[in-house]
Amino acid sequence: MIFPLEELIQYEKNMYEITAAATRRSFQLSMLHAANDHSIKPWIEENDGKVVPLAAREVFTEIIEFRLESE
């Protein structure tokens, strides 16, 4: 899976928010992979162990949703 460049170009909302969401999701995927979570492991292995493109695709295609919490 490549980085979702087309979705990035077409994205019209706040770029900071989506970047923060993709970064957080990348961290979550890394931790799940490190913990040998068998439900996530095949997805990461299909992407040669690269979690950032996978996380970005999930966020840009709205497979996962995110929201900002106010302080």
Side-chain angles (χ1 to χ4, degrees):
M1 179 182 300
I2 60 171
F3 193 83
L5 187 57
E6 188 64 31
E7 287 89 350
L8 178 63
I9 292 168
Q10 294 177 0
Y11 192 74
E12 296 178 358
K13 298 177 185 174
N14 186 317
M15 192 57 66
Y16 172 78
E17 290 176 359
I18 197 114
T19 302
T23 301
R24 178 65 181 160
R25 183 60 178 159
S26 295
F27 176 75
Q28 291 172 341
L29 291 172
S30 294
M31 293 297 102
L32 290 170
H33 186 63
N36 285 321
D37 185 325
H38 297 290
S39 64
I40 200 75
K41 195 169 185 164
W43 290 357
I44 295 173
E45 288 176 357
E46 287 175 11
N47 292 291
D48 298 323
K50 297 175 182 164
V51 295
V52 174
L54 177 58
R57 172 118 6 235
E58 288 181 339
V59 172
F60 280 110
T61 59
E62 298 179 349
I63 291 172
I64 63 163
E65 295 181 14
F66 67 93
R67 63 183 162 81
L68 296 179
E69 294 181 4
S70 60
E71 294 182 64

